[in-house]
Amino acid sequence: MAGPTTIHHARSNTFGIWDISFISLYSPFLIIPFECFRKQKPITQVSIIIIATLLLGILVELGQSAFSRTPDTGDIFRNLIGAGVAICFLLPVRKKFPAKSMRLFKLTFVILIGLQIWPIVVALIDEQHARNEFPVLSDFQSAMQLDRWECGCAISIEKDIGCQGNRAMRADLDTQHYSGFTLKYFPRNWNGYQWFQFVIYNPSEEVIRITCRIHDKLHTQGPQLYADRFNKTQSIPVGWHTIAIPLDDVRKAPAGRKMDLSQIYAVGFFATQLPHPRTIYIDDVRLMK
C-alpha cells in the first residue's frame, strides 16, 4: 500500500509561500543604487521606495486576472513590508536616520514578518501531524485542525462534547440552499483502506438530513457534475451516530468511470434548504481497514 506522502494542495506550499515571496521580492529590487537615486535626500529616497512599491504592487494586482489569479490587496501590504525591510536593513542612507527611530522601525518590521510567517509555520506543523495521525483525518484534538476545513457556515472546536468525551467540531448550519463544511487538507492517498468513517451528533430531537460528498482530483478538472462524485444523504436522529461508508461504493460512484482513491480531493458535509438554523457536531473522521 502506498503511504500518504503528501497533503493535498497543502496550505504551506501554495498561497502561503507565494505570499511570503512578496516580502523578499521587493527588498533587493528597490535599493538598486542608481546615481540619481543616491543623490536624493534620505527622506526622498524613502518616499521614492514607498511610492514605487505601491505603484508596482497595484499594477501587479491589476494584472492578476491574466494569470488566473484573484487580485489580493494583502499582497500590496506584503510589498510594503518588503520595502520596509529594504529601508531598515539594506538602504545605505538608513544610518543617517536617528538610531532610536531606526531600531524601532527594525523591530516593527521584524514583528510584521513574523506575523506573515506564523500561519505557514502552523500549517507545516499541522501537515506533519496529519501525516503522523493518518488514517485519522481529523479528530479535533488540536485547534490547528480547524484550518483543515473550509466552511460555508460557522464552525468551531468544542470541549467535552466529543464522542469519547473529548473535543469535536461544532457546525452551525444556516438556511442557505446548501450549508455545510468541507475537509480540504489531508493525506490524499486512500488506497488500501475499506471504509470512510465519521461520528456525528445531533443535539436536537428533530431529525436532520446530512449529505456526505466525496470527490477526486479528476472531478475538479471537468464540469463537476453531481453524477461524477460520491453523494450519500443520511437522516440523523438525536444523539451520537457512527457512519461508515464503504470505499468500494466511493470508487464506483462516478458515472462512467472509477474514482481515483489515490487522489481524493475533498470530503464535504452539508444540509439542503433547512427551514431554520441547526447545530451538529462531527468527530473522529478517519479511514478504516
Side-chain angles (χ1 to χ4, degrees), residues 100-157:
K100 289 184 178 180
S101 297
M102 191 53 58
R103 284 196 294 270
L104 178 61
F105 285 130
K106 286 181 178 180
L107 176 61
T108 299
F109 283 106
V110 167
I111 292 173
L112 288 173
I113 290 174
L115 291 174
Q116 294 295 314
I117 293 175
W118 179 246
I120 299 176
V121 173
V122 171
L124 285 167
I125 293 171
D126 187 54
E127 286 165 16
Q128 187 58 48
H129 286 171
R131 293 185 186 97
N132 294 339
E133 295 162 1
F134 189 80
V136 175
L137 302 178
S138 197
D139 62 5
F140 309 105
Q141 298 311 297
S142 164
M144 290 186 292
Q145 291 191 26
L146 203 62
D147 289 334
R148 300 178 190 179
W149 298 78
E150 291 184 356
C151 57
C153 65
I155 61 173
S156 60
I157 293 180

Short mmCIF file of all heavy atoms in Angstrom, two decimals, residues 100-157:
data_model
loop_
_atom_site.label_atom_id
_atom_site.label_comp_id
_atom_site.label_asym_id
_atom_site.label_seq_id
_atom_site.Cartn_x
_atom_site.Cartn_y
_atom_site.Cartn_z
N LYS A 100 17.57 55.57 17.45
CA LYS A 100 16.42 55.04 18.19
C LYS A 100 15.24 54.77 17.27
O LYS A 100 14.56 53.75 17.38
CB LYS A 100 16.03 56.00 19.30
CG LYS A 100 17.02 56.07 20.46
CD LYS A 100 16.50 56.97 21.57
CE LYS A 100 17.47 57.00 22.75
NZ LYS A 100 16.97 57.88 23.84
N SER A 101 14.99 55.71 16.37
CA SER A 101 13.87 55.54 15.43
C SER A 101 14.11 54.34 14.53
O SER A 101 13.19 53.54 14.27
CB SER A 101 13.70 56.80 14.58
OG SER A 101 13.36 57.91 15.39
N MET A 102 15.35 54.18 14.06
CA MET A 102 15.65 53.07 13.17
C MET A 102 15.51 51.73 13.89
O MET A 102 15.02 50.75 13.32
CB MET A 102 17.07 53.22 12.61
CG MET A 102 17.39 52.25 11.47
SD MET A 102 16.18 52.26 10.12
CE MET A 102 16.24 53.98 9.60
N ARG A 103 15.92 51.68 15.18
CA ARG A 103 15.75 50.43 15.94
C ARG A 103 14.27 50.10 16.09
O ARG A 103 13.88 48.94 16.01
CB ARG A 103 16.41 50.56 17.31
CG ARG A 103 17.92 50.44 17.29
CD ARG A 103 18.47 50.17 18.68
NE ARG A 103 18.26 51.31 19.57
CZ ARG A 103 19.11 52.31 19.73
NH1 ARG A 103 20.26 52.32 19.07
NH2 ARG A 103 18.84 53.31 20.56
N LEU A 104 13.45 51.10 16.31
CA LEU A 104 12.01 50.89 16.44
C LEU A 104 11.42 50.38 15.13
O LEU A 104 10.61 49.44 15.12
CB LEU A 104 11.32 52.18 16.85
CG LEU A 104 9.78 52.13 16.98
CD1 LEU A 104 9.36 51.10 18.03
CD2 LEU A 104 9.22 53.51 17.33
N PHE A 105 11.84 50.97 14.00
CA PHE A 105 11.34 50.53 12.70
C PHE A 105 11.79 49.10 12.41
O PHE A 105 11.02 48.29 11.89
CB PHE A 105 11.83 51.48 11.60
CG PHE A 105 11.10 52.78 11.55
CD1 PHE A 105 11.80 53.98 11.50
CD2 PHE A 105 9.71 52.83 11.56
CE1 PHE A 105 11.13 55.19 11.46
CE2 PHE A 105 9.03 54.04 11.52
CZ PHE A 105 9.75 55.22 11.47
N LYS A 106 13.03 48.77 12.74
CA LYS A 106 13.53 47.41 12.52
C LYS A 106 12.71 46.40 13.32
O LYS A 106 12.31 45.35 12.79
CB LYS A 106 15.01 47.31 12.91
CG LYS A 106 15.95 47.97 11.92
CD LYS A 106 17.40 47.81 12.37
CE LYS A 106 18.35 48.43 11.37
NZ LYS A 106 19.77 48.28 11.78
N LEU A 107 12.45 46.72 14.59
CA LEU A 107 11.65 45.84 15.43
C LEU A 107 10.25 45.67 14.86
O LEU A 107 9.71 44.56 14.82
CB LEU A 107 11.59 46.39 16.85
CG LEU A 107 10.71 45.60 17.84
CD1 LEU A 107 11.24 44.18 18.00
CD2 LEU A 107 10.66 46.31 19.18
N THR A 108 9.68 46.77 14.38
CA THR A 108 8.33 46.72 13.81
C THR A 108 8.27 45.78 12.61
O THR A 108 7.37 44.95 12.51
CB THR A 108 7.88 48.13 13.39
OG1 THR A 108 7.84 48.98 14.53
CG2 THR A 108 6.50 48.09 12.74
N PHE A 109 9.24 45.89 11.71
CA PHE A 109 9.20 45.07 10.50
C PHE A 109 9.56 43.62 10.79
O PHE A 109 9.07 42.71 10.12
CB PHE A 109 10.10 45.68 9.42
CG PHE A 109 9.48 46.88 8.76
CD1 PHE A 109 9.93 48.15 9.04
CD2 PHE A 109 8.41 46.73 7.89
CE1 PHE A 109 9.34 49.26 8.45
CE2 PHE A 109 7.82 47.83 7.29
CZ PHE A 109 8.28 49.10 7.57
N VAL A 110 10.40 43.39 11.77
CA VAL A 110 10.66 42.00 12.19
C VAL A 110 9.37 41.36 12.70
O VAL A 110 9.06 40.21 12.37
CB VAL A 110 11.77 41.96 13.25
CG1 VAL A 110 11.82 40.57 13.91
CG2 VAL A 110 13.12 42.30 12.63
N ILE A 111 8.63 42.10 13.50
CA ILE A 111 7.35 41.59 14.02
C ILE A 111 6.37 41.34 12.88
O ILE A 111 5.68 40.31 12.83
CB ILE A 111 6.76 42.57 15.05
CG1 ILE A 111 7.62 42.60 16.31
CG2 ILE A 111 5.32 42.18 15.41
CD1 ILE A 111 7.21 43.67 17.32
N LEU A 112 6.29 42.28 11.93
CA LEU A 112 5.38 42.12 10.80
C LEU A 112 5.74 40.89 9.96
O LEU A 112 4.86 40.15 9.51
CB LEU A 112 5.40 43.38 9.93
CG LEU A 112 4.72 44.62 10.53
CD1 LEU A 112 4.96 45.83 9.64
CD2 LEU A 112 3.23 44.37 10.72
N ILE A 113 7.03 40.67 9.74
CA ILE A 113 7.45 39.48 9.01
C ILE A 113 7.07 38.22 9.78
O ILE A 113 6.59 37.24 9.22
CB ILE A 113 8.96 39.51 8.74
CG1 ILE A 113 9.29 40.61 7.71
CG2 ILE A 113 9.45 38.15 8.22
CD1 ILE A 113 10.76 40.81 7.48
N GLY A 114 7.28 38.26 11.10
CA GLY A 114 6.90 37.12 11.93
C GLY A 114 5.42 36.80 11.83
O GLY A 114 5.03 35.63 11.76
N LEU A 115 4.59 37.84 11.82
CA LEU A 115 3.14 37.63 11.71
C LEU A 115 2.77 37.03 10.36
O LEU A 115 1.80 36.26 10.25
CB LEU A 115 2.41 38.95 11.91
CG LEU A 115 2.47 39.53 13.33
CD1 LEU A 115 1.83 40.92 13.37
CD2 LEU A 115 1.78 38.60 14.32
N GLN A 116 3.51 37.36 9.31
CA GLN A 116 3.25 36.80 8.00
C GLN A 116 3.70 35.34 7.91
O GLN A 116 3.06 34.52 7.24
CB GLN A 116 3.97 37.62 6.91
CG GLN A 116 3.45 39.03 6.76
CD GLN A 116 2.02 39.08 6.26
OE1 GLN A 116 1.66 38.39 5.32
NE2 GLN A 116 1.20 39.89 6.90
N ILE A 117 4.79 35.02 8.57
CA ILE A 117 5.34 33.66 8.50
C ILE A 117 4.60 32.70 9.42
O ILE A 117 4.48 31.50 9.11
CB ILE A 117 6.84 33.69 8.86
CG1 ILE A 117 7.62 34.45 7.78
CG2 ILE A 117 7.40 32.27 9.03
CD1 ILE A 117 9.09 34.63 8.11
N TRP A 118 4.05 33.20 10.53
CA TRP A 118 3.44 32.32 11.53
C TRP A 118 2.38 31.38 10.96
O TRP A 118 2.38 30.18 11.29
CB TRP A 118 2.89 33.14 12.68
CG TRP A 118 2.24 32.31 13.74
CD1 TRP A 118 0.93 32.28 14.10
CD2 TRP A 118 2.88 31.34 14.58
NE1 TRP A 118 0.71 31.39 15.10
CE2 TRP A 118 1.90 30.78 15.42
CE3 TRP A 118 4.21 30.90 14.69
CZ2 TRP A 118 2.19 29.81 16.36
CZ3 TRP A 118 4.49 29.92 15.64
CH2 TRP A 118 3.48 29.39 16.45
N PRO A 119 1.43 31.84 10.12
CA PRO A 119 0.44 30.90 9.58
C PRO A 119 1.06 29.75 8.80
O PRO A 119 0.55 28.63 8.83
CB PRO A 119 -0.43 31.79 8.67
CG PRO A 119 -0.27 33.16 9.22
CD PRO A 119 1.15 33.23 9.69
N ILE A 120 2.18 30.01 8.12
CA ILE A 120 2.85 28.95 7.38
C ILE A 120 3.49 27.95 8.35
O ILE A 120 3.44 26.74 8.12
CB ILE A 120 3.92 29.53 6.43
CG1 ILE A 120 3.26 30.46 5.41
CG2 ILE A 120 4.67 28.42 5.70
CD1 ILE A 120 4.24 31.16 4.50
N VAL A 121 4.06 28.46 9.43
CA VAL A 121 4.64 27.57 10.44
C VAL A 121 3.56 26.67 11.03
O VAL A 121 3.74 25.45 11.17
CB VAL A 121 5.32 28.40 11.55
CG1 VAL A 121 5.77 27.50 12.69
CG2 VAL A 121 6.51 29.18 10.99
N VAL A 122 2.41 27.26 11.36
CA VAL A 122 1.30 26.49 11.91
C VAL A 122 0.84 25.43 10.91
O VAL A 122 0.58 24.27 11.26
CB VAL A 122 0.12 27.42 12.28
CG1 VAL A 122 -1.12 26.61 12.65
CG2 VAL A 122 0.52 28.32 13.45
N ALA A 123 0.74 25.82 9.62
CA ALA A 123 0.31 24.87 8.59
C ALA A 123 1.29 23.72 8.46
O ALA A 123 0.90 22.56 8.35
CB ALA A 123 0.14 25.59 7.25
N LEU A 124 2.59 24.02 8.49
CA LEU A 124 3.60 22.96 8.38
C LEU A 124 3.51 21.99 9.55
O LEU A 124 3.62 20.77 9.38
CB LEU A 124 5.00 23.59 8.32
CG LEU A 124 5.39 24.25 6.99
CD1 LEU A 124 6.65 25.08 7.17
CD2 LEU A 124 5.59 23.21 5.90
N ILE A 125 3.31 22.53 10.76
CA ILE A 125 3.19 21.68 11.94
C ILE A 125 1.97 20.77 11.81
O ILE A 125 2.04 19.56 12.06
CB ILE A 125 3.11 22.54 13.21
CG1 ILE A 125 4.43 23.26 13.47
CG2 ILE A 125 2.75 21.67 14.43
CD1 ILE A 125 4.38 24.28 14.58
N ASP A 126 0.84 21.35 11.41
CA ASP A 126 -0.38 20.55 11.30
C ASP A 126 -0.29 19.54 10.18
O ASP A 126 -0.84 18.43 10.29
CB ASP A 126 -1.59 21.46 11.10
CG ASP A 126 -2.90 20.68 11.17
OD1 ASP A 126 -3.11 19.97 12.18
OD2 ASP A 126 -3.69 20.73 10.20
N GLU A 127 0.38 19.89 9.07
CA GLU A 127 0.55 18.93 7.99
C GLU A 127 1.36 17.71 8.46
O GLU A 127 1.05 16.57 8.09
CB GLU A 127 1.21 19.60 6.80
CG GLU A 127 0.27 20.52 6.03
CD GLU A 127 1.00 21.46 5.10
OE1 GLU A 127 2.20 21.21 4.82
OE2 GLU A 127 0.39 22.45 4.65
N GLN A 128 2.39 17.96 9.27
CA GLN A 128 3.16 16.85 9.80
C GLN A 128 2.32 16.02 10.76
O GLN A 128 2.39 14.77 10.75
CB GLN A 128 4.42 17.37 10.49
CG GLN A 128 5.38 16.27 10.94
CD GLN A 128 5.83 15.41 9.78
OE1 GLN A 128 6.24 15.91 8.74
NE2 GLN A 128 5.77 14.10 9.94
N HIS A 129 1.51 16.67 11.59
CA HIS A 129 0.61 15.94 12.47
C HIS A 129 -0.36 15.09 11.66
O HIS A 129 -0.65 13.93 12.02
CB HIS A 129 -0.19 16.91 13.34
CG HIS A 129 0.62 17.53 14.44
ND1 HIS A 129 0.16 18.56 15.23
CD2 HIS A 129 1.87 17.27 14.90
CE1 HIS A 129 1.08 18.90 16.10
NE2 HIS A 129 2.13 18.14 15.92
N ALA A 130 -0.87 15.63 10.56
CA ALA A 130 -1.82 14.88 9.74
C ALA A 130 -1.18 13.63 9.16
O ALA A 130 -1.82 12.57 9.09
CB ALA A 130 -2.35 15.78 8.61
N ARG A 131 0.08 13.74 8.75
CA ARG A 131 0.78 12.56 8.23
C ARG A 131 0.97 11.52 9.33
O ARG A 131 0.79 10.32 9.11
CB ARG A 131 2.13 12.97 7.66
CG ARG A 131 2.05 13.85 6.42
CD ARG A 131 3.45 14.11 5.85
NE ARG A 131 3.38 15.06 4.75
CZ ARG A 131 3.61 16.36 4.86
NH1 ARG A 131 3.92 16.88 6.05
NH2 ARG A 131 3.53 17.15 3.81
N ASN A 132 1.36 11.99 10.52
CA ASN A 132 1.61 11.07 11.63
C ASN A 132 0.34 10.39 12.12
O ASN A 132 0.37 9.24 12.57
CB ASN A 132 2.27 11.81 12.79
CG ASN A 132 3.66 12.32 12.45
OD1 ASN A 132 4.31 11.82 11.51
ND2 ASN A 132 4.14 13.31 13.18
N GLU A 133 -0.79 11.12 12.07
CA GLU A 133 -2.05 10.61 12.60
C GLU A 133 -2.83 9.77 11.60
O GLU A 133 -3.75 9.04 11.99
CB GLU A 133 -2.93 11.79 13.04
CG GLU A 133 -2.36 12.57 14.20
CD GLU A 133 -2.98 13.94 14.35
OE1 GLU A 133 -3.88 14.29 13.55
OE2 GLU A 133 -2.55 14.70 15.26
N PHE A 134 -2.51 9.85 10.32
CA PHE A 134 -3.22 9.09 9.31
C PHE A 134 -3.23 7.60 9.68
O PHE A 134 -2.22 7.09 10.14
CB PHE A 134 -2.51 9.29 7.97
CG PHE A 134 -3.26 8.74 6.79
CD1 PHE A 134 -4.31 9.44 6.23
CD2 PHE A 134 -2.91 7.52 6.24
CE1 PHE A 134 -5.00 8.94 5.14
CE2 PHE A 134 -3.59 7.01 5.15
CZ PHE A 134 -4.64 7.73 4.61
N PRO A 135 -4.37 6.91 9.56
CA PRO A 135 -5.57 7.22 8.78
C PRO A 135 -6.63 8.08 9.48
O PRO A 135 -7.72 8.23 8.95
CB PRO A 135 -6.13 5.84 8.46
CG PRO A 135 -5.75 5.01 9.66
CD PRO A 135 -4.39 5.51 10.05
N VAL A 136 -6.34 8.62 10.67
CA VAL A 136 -7.25 9.62 11.23
C VAL A 136 -7.09 10.89 10.40
O VAL A 136 -5.98 11.39 10.22
CB VAL A 136 -6.92 9.91 12.70
CG1 VAL A 136 -7.79 11.05 13.23
CG2 VAL A 136 -7.11 8.66 13.55
N LEU A 137 -8.19 11.39 9.88
CA LEU A 137 -8.16 12.59 9.04
C LEU A 137 -8.39 13.85 9.86
O LEU A 137 -7.82 14.89 9.56
CB LEU A 137 -9.21 12.48 7.93
CG LEU A 137 -9.09 11.26 7.01
CD1 LEU A 137 -10.22 11.25 5.99
CD2 LEU A 137 -7.74 11.26 6.30
N SER A 138 -9.23 13.74 10.89
CA SER A 138 -9.46 14.89 11.77
C SER A 138 -10.21 14.40 13.01
O SER A 138 -11.31 13.87 12.89
CB SER A 138 -10.27 15.97 11.05
OG SER A 138 -10.18 17.21 11.69
N ASP A 139 -9.57 14.59 14.16
CA ASP A 139 -10.25 14.22 15.42
C ASP A 139 -10.41 15.42 16.35
O ASP A 139 -10.88 15.28 17.46
CB ASP A 139 -9.52 13.08 16.12
CG ASP A 139 -8.10 13.45 16.53
OD1 ASP A 139 -7.70 14.63 16.35
OD2 ASP A 139 -7.36 12.57 17.02
N PHE A 140 -9.96 16.60 15.89
CA PHE A 140 -10.22 17.88 16.56
C PHE A 140 -9.59 18.00 17.95
O PHE A 140 -10.02 18.82 18.75
CB PHE A 140 -11.73 18.14 16.63
CG PHE A 140 -12.40 17.98 15.30
CD1 PHE A 140 -13.16 16.86 15.02
CD2 PHE A 140 -12.22 18.94 14.31
CE1 PHE A 140 -13.75 16.70 13.77
CE2 PHE A 140 -12.81 18.78 13.06
CZ PHE A 140 -13.58 17.67 12.79
N GLN A 141 -8.56 17.20 18.20
CA GLN A 141 -7.89 17.32 19.48
C GLN A 141 -6.90 18.48 19.51
O GLN A 141 -6.40 18.84 20.57
CB GLN A 141 -7.17 16.01 19.81
CG GLN A 141 -8.12 14.82 19.93
CD GLN A 141 -9.30 15.12 20.84
OE1 GLN A 141 -9.12 15.36 22.02
NE2 GLN A 141 -10.51 15.09 20.28
N SER A 142 -6.65 19.06 18.35
CA SER A 142 -5.79 20.24 18.24
C SER A 142 -6.57 21.35 17.56
O SER A 142 -7.27 21.12 16.57
CB SER A 142 -4.53 19.91 17.43
OG SER A 142 -3.87 21.09 17.02
N ALA A 143 -6.43 22.57 18.07
CA ALA A 143 -7.12 23.70 17.47
C ALA A 143 -6.65 23.96 16.04
O ALA A 143 -7.40 24.50 15.21
CB ALA A 143 -6.91 24.95 18.32
N MET A 144 -5.41 23.56 15.73
CA MET A 144 -4.89 23.76 14.38
C MET A 144 -5.69 23.00 13.33
O MET A 144 -5.71 23.37 12.16
CB MET A 144 -3.42 23.33 14.31
CG MET A 144 -2.47 24.24 15.06
SD MET A 144 -0.72 23.81 14.80
CE MET A 144 -0.65 22.22 15.64
N GLN A 145 -6.35 21.91 13.75
CA GLN A 145 -7.07 21.09 12.79
C GLN A 145 -8.24 21.83 12.15
O GLN A 145 -8.69 21.46 11.06
CB GLN A 145 -7.59 19.82 13.46
CG GLN A 145 -6.51 18.83 13.84
CD GLN A 145 -7.09 17.49 14.25
OE1 GLN A 145 -8.18 17.10 13.82
NE2 GLN A 145 -6.37 16.78 15.09
N LEU A 146 -8.72 22.86 12.79
CA LEU A 146 -9.85 23.58 12.22
C LEU A 146 -9.50 24.17 10.86
O LEU A 146 -10.37 24.30 9.99
CB LEU A 146 -10.29 24.69 13.18
CG LEU A 146 -11.75 25.18 13.03
CD1 LEU A 146 -12.73 24.05 13.33
CD2 LEU A 146 -12.01 26.35 13.97
N ASP A 147 -8.22 24.49 10.65
CA ASP A 147 -7.80 25.06 9.37
C ASP A 147 -7.73 24.02 8.26
O ASP A 147 -7.48 24.38 7.11
CB ASP A 147 -6.44 25.73 9.53
CG ASP A 147 -6.52 27.01 10.35
OD1 ASP A 147 -7.60 27.62 10.38
OD2 ASP A 147 -5.51 27.40 10.96
N ARG A 148 -7.94 22.75 8.59
CA ARG A 148 -8.04 21.73 7.54
C ARG A 148 -9.38 21.81 6.82
O ARG A 148 -9.56 21.20 5.77
CB ARG A 148 -7.89 20.32 8.13
CG ARG A 148 -6.57 20.08 8.83
CD ARG A 148 -6.51 18.67 9.42
NE ARG A 148 -5.36 18.52 10.29
CZ ARG A 148 -5.06 17.41 10.97
NH1 ARG A 148 -5.85 16.35 10.85
NH2 ARG A 148 -3.99 17.36 11.75
N TRP A 149 -10.30 22.57 7.39
CA TRP A 149 -11.67 22.62 6.89
C TRP A 149 -11.97 23.99 6.29
O TRP A 149 -11.53 25.02 6.79
CB TRP A 149 -12.66 22.34 8.03
CG TRP A 149 -12.50 20.99 8.63
CD1 TRP A 149 -11.54 20.59 9.53
CD2 TRP A 149 -13.29 19.83 8.38
NE1 TRP A 149 -11.69 19.27 9.86
CE2 TRP A 149 -12.77 18.77 9.16
CE3 TRP A 149 -14.42 19.59 7.59
CZ2 TRP A 149 -13.31 17.51 9.16
CZ3 TRP A 149 -14.96 18.32 7.58
CH2 TRP A 149 -14.41 17.30 8.37
N GLU A 150 -12.75 23.97 5.23
CA GLU A 150 -13.35 25.19 4.68
C GLU A 150 -14.84 25.13 4.96
O GLU A 150 -15.45 24.05 4.92
CB GLU A 150 -13.09 25.30 3.18
CG GLU A 150 -11.63 25.56 2.84
CD GLU A 150 -11.40 25.76 1.36
OE1 GLU A 150 -12.37 25.61 0.58
OE2 GLU A 150 -10.25 26.05 0.98
N CYS A 151 -15.43 26.26 5.26
CA CYS A 151 -16.80 26.21 5.73
C CYS A 151 -17.70 27.19 5.00
O CYS A 151 -17.27 28.27 4.61
CB CYS A 151 -16.87 26.48 7.24
SG CYS A 151 -16.14 28.06 7.70
N GLY A 152 -18.94 26.77 4.83
CA GLY A 152 -20.00 27.63 4.36
C GLY A 152 -20.95 27.94 5.50
O GLY A 152 -22.09 28.33 5.28
N CYS A 153 -20.45 27.72 6.71
CA CYS A 153 -21.22 28.00 7.92
C CYS A 153 -20.22 28.26 9.04
O CYS A 153 -19.01 28.14 8.84
CB CYS A 153 -22.14 26.83 8.28
SG CYS A 153 -21.24 25.31 8.70
N ALA A 154 -20.70 28.62 10.20
CA ALA A 154 -19.81 28.86 11.34
C ALA A 154 -19.37 27.53 11.94
O ALA A 154 -20.21 26.66 12.23
CB ALA A 154 -20.51 29.71 12.39
N ILE A 155 -18.05 27.35 12.12
CA ILE A 155 -17.53 26.13 12.73
C ILE A 155 -16.59 26.51 13.87
O ILE A 155 -15.98 27.57 13.88
CB ILE A 155 -16.80 25.22 11.72
CG1 ILE A 155 -15.59 25.96 11.10
CG2 ILE A 155 -17.75 24.73 10.65
CD1 ILE A 155 -14.73 25.06 10.22
N SER A 156 -16.49 25.62 14.85
CA SER A 156 -15.60 25.82 15.99
C SER A 156 -15.33 24.48 16.63
O SER A 156 -16.07 23.51 16.41
CB SER A 156 -16.23 26.78 17.01
OG SER A 156 -17.46 26.25 17.50
N ILE A 157 -14.28 24.41 17.43
CA ILE A 157 -13.97 23.19 18.18
C ILE A 157 -14.47 23.37 19.61
O ILE A 157 -14.14 24.35 20.28
CB ILE A 157 -12.46 22.88 18.16
CG1 ILE A 157 -12.02 22.53 16.74
CG2 ILE A 157 -12.14 21.74 19.12
CD1 ILE A 157 -10.55 22.22 16.61
#
